[in-house]
Each structure stands twice: as C-alpha cells, then as structure tokens.
Amino acid sequence: MSRGCERATFVEKNPKAAYVIRENLARARFADYGEVVRGDVVEVVGRLAMEGHRYDLIFADPPYRIPARETGGVLERLSALLTPGGCVVFESGNLLSAETIINLKGVSRRYGRTVVTFFERTETTMNLAICPGSFDPITVGHLDIIQRASRIYDHVVVAVGANFSKKPRLSGEERARLIEKATGEFENVSVEVMEGLLVDFAREQEARVIVKGLRVFSDFESEFQQAQLNRTLYPDLETVYIMAVAEHSFLSSSAVREIARYGGDVRGMVPEEVLDIVRRSYVDRQAAASDKG
Ligand code: PNS
C-alpha cells in the first residue's frame, strides 16, 4: 500500500490477526484504502469472485502444512480473481507441484525455508466452446447453432448430457453417434458424452465458454437459471447465446419425439443423415398403428 496501490483487501480467518491488521492500517493512515474481510479464505475468495471483484496483485501466505491438493484448489480460486496480466505471489514451505495448478504459470525462488512462487495467469490458447444439451434427438435447430458456434470458436465440443427432468429415449452414446453423423463435415467439432455436471466437464476440457441456442422467450427463464447456477459453481465460465433462426423458433427435440412416436414425418426437422435412424428409433409401433387405425 505504501507503494501506491489504489485499494487492498485483506482476508484473515484469525480474529486477533484481523484486529492487528485493522490497527496497523489505521496507524499507517491506510484505513480508507484497506478492507479486512474475516473468514475462511476459500469461502471469501469464492464470494469475491462471484461478486465480480478482480485484483492485479494477490499475496497468499497460507499455513505451510496444508496438503498440496488443497494448495491447488486455493490457487485455482485465486486465479479466478486475477485481472488479465495479474500476478499471485504465493508463499509455501516446498516447491509446488505444477500439475496441481490450473491456468497459472509459476516461477519459484527459495529463500531459506520459504519458497516464493510468482504466478501469472496463462490464457487458454485454444478458443474452445462447449455446446451442451440433451439432444434427444439432435434437430436442425441444434445443428445450426453448432455450425454457427464452429465459425466463431477454434473448436466446439458438443456435450451430450443428462437433464434429470427428462428421460431420454436413446442412451447418451446413441445420441452422441447421431450428432457425430450430423456434424461429420465440420472439422472443428467433436462430440462427447457428459456424465456429471456441466461445470466439471468444462473444467476437464479447460473450456471457458458455453454456447447455447435461444429460441422463443420461454427459453430464457430456464437458461437464465442454468447460467446463474453454472456461474456460481465456476465463476470463470461464460455462457454465450446464439439466437435461433426464425424458422427454428418452435422446433424442439420434444416436438420431434412426439411426431416420430406416431409415425409422423420429421423430414426437415432433423438432419438428413440421421432421419432414418430417428424414424426407426423414436416410433412407437402401437401408438403409430392406433393413430392410423
Ligand atoms: O437440451 P437441454 O435438455 O436443455 O440440455 C440441458 C443440459 C443437458 C445442458 C443441462 O441439463 C446440463 O447442463 N446437464 C448436466 C448436469 C448439470 O450440470 N446440471 C446443472 C445445470 S444448472
């Protein structure tokens, strides 16, 4: 602070230590520029990131005895608080194992029993986006969004997930195979089955962007909710929306399922490459027969 920073936030769990920091700030006449937040560092840092606070410089001096795994977790959270080009200066008793640290590149120096590591944020070189969905089945509307995303990003991973409010007719693998057939011509698109949470999948893939299609206004509420929840779980993840073309506004997988179930014609609603499979897989022979009969 004596070197001229505009503001500083101190995070301290111990009440006595927090009191001493406040006293020192007052004595050094920095009280107006320094804020002391009492609490567990992981919780406080998570909250600060969620509230959108960003810092150019972070000094971290955690107890030396904390396990390496936890150090990685703390650093990952701190990296979410850094401005582009910002730096974390981290004190530890040992050299930090590089693989525990995500999104950060560090240089260490040893001073007696203390190791000081200067971390900078490494921006993900690949401009990667994830297009998640249930895709039960893929429609021409999905395909359009995937193609438009593939023109913006270096690579698009289509993530076939489970939406627990829906019971998919086809398994994740089967739905993924259909998408592979339909997206075969797009060189920078790949398809994966996503077993757990979208945020965990995004972290595994080192992706910072989710791309989703928005159709009519009624999509907004659930998309807004999902985006907020995902942001709470992974503050650095952005959800970007591509507006569906007008012809696809009322097209949905559930409409395709309904029509295909009764043997109706879904040509033009699903990609041509998967039309036959969709017809065969989604038809309910009894329902189709009774409808015709
Ligand atoms: O096509 P859908 O049904 O709108 O897709 C929803 C999907 C699969 C993207 C969403 O349910 C999802 O992300 N599922 C993975 C589990 C998860 O992360 N759930 C929390 C989302 S807030």
Side-chain angles (χ1 to χ4, degrees), residues 132-135 142 161-164 166 194 196-199 212 223 225-226 229-230:
S134 316
F135 304 104
H142 291 132
N163 178 336
F164 279 97
K166 301 173 183 171
M194 173 172 71
L197 287 177
L198 176 57
V199 286
K212 292 191 125 188
E223 290 301 340
Q225 193 180 32
Q226 286 181 55
L229 290 171
N230 287 332

Side-chain angles (χ1 to χ4, degrees), residues 180-197:
E180 273 171 0
K181 270 182 187 293
T183 58
E185 281 190 10
F186 310 151
E187 282 183 1
N188 61 341
V189 173
S190 56
V191 186
E192 300 279 344
V193 175
M194 173 172 71
E195 301 289 354
L197 287 177

Side-chain angles (χ1 to χ4, degrees), residues 54-253:
R54 295 293 177 270
Y55 300 87
D56 297 322
L57 189 56
I58 299 174
F59 291 99
D61 186 8
Y64 287 1
R65 60 181 184 284
I66 69 170
R69 207 166 16 90
E70 279 182 35
T71 309
V74 171
L75 275 164
E76 191 185 341
R77 279 164 198 266
L78 291 179
S79 88
L81 280 180
L82 276 184
T83 52
C87 178
V88 179
V89 182
F90 196 93
E91 275 195 42
S92 54
N94 290 308
L95 280 174
L96 303 172
S97 110
E99 61 269 30
T100 57
I101 299 147
I102 303 166
N103 296 337
L104 291 173
K105 187 173 75 191
V107 176
S108 296
R109 295 209 189 121
R110 187 177 273 285
Y111 301 93
R113 289 176 53 215
T114 299
V115 176
V116 180
T117 309
F118 300 81
F119 285 105
E120 276 177 18
R121 213 167 131 155
T122 53
E123 295 311 327
T124 321
T125 46
M126 169 100 75
N127 199 1
L128 178 76
I130 294 177
C131 273
S134 316
F135 304 104
D136 187 33
I138 181 168
T139 67
V140 290
H142 291 132
L143 190 64
D144 181 56
I145 301 296
I146 294 167
Q147 181 174 30
R148 285 160 68 193
S150 77
R151 293 187 193 129
I152 303 171
Y153 296 94
D154 294 336
H155 191 90
V156 172
V157 179
V158 180
V160 183
N163 178 336
F164 279 97
S165 58
K166 301 173 183 171
K167 177 139 186 22
R169 173 93 194 214
L170 297 183
S171 72
E173 286 296 336
E174 287 168 317
R175 283 174 281 147
R177 296 295 80 79
L178 294 190
I179 303 168
E180 273 171 0
K181 270 182 187 293
T183 58
E185 281 190 10
F186 310 151
E187 282 183 1
N188 61 341
V189 173
S190 56
V191 186
E192 300 279 344
V193 175
M194 173 172 71
E195 301 289 354
L197 287 177
L198 176 57
V199 286
D200 293 335
F201 182 79
R203 277 205 182 90
E204 269 167 40
Q205 303 280 328
E206 296 187 16
R208 298 270 183 82
V209 180
I210 300 294
V211 172
K212 292 191 125 188
L214 262 191
R215 293 164 301 184
V216 280
F217 195 70
S218 52
D219 276 350
F220 181 81
E221 200 176 332
S222 103
E223 290 301 340
F224 189 61
Q225 193 180 32
Q226 286 181 55
Q228 298 304 326
L229 290 171
N230 287 332
R231 205 173 143 70
T232 310
L233 297 169
Y234 182 179
D236 256 9
L237 190 67
E238 287 297 347
T239 309
V240 171
Y241 297 92
I242 293 182
M243 290 292 164
V245 294
E247 309 90 274
H248 299 157
S249 309
F250 295 98
L251 175 60
S252 63
S253 296

Side-chain angles (χ1 to χ4, degrees), residues 1 4-9 31-35 55:
M1 296 182 84
C5 77
E6 273 171 30
R7 286 202 62 75
T9 305
D32 289 346
Y33 312 102
E35 180 197 12
Y55 300 87

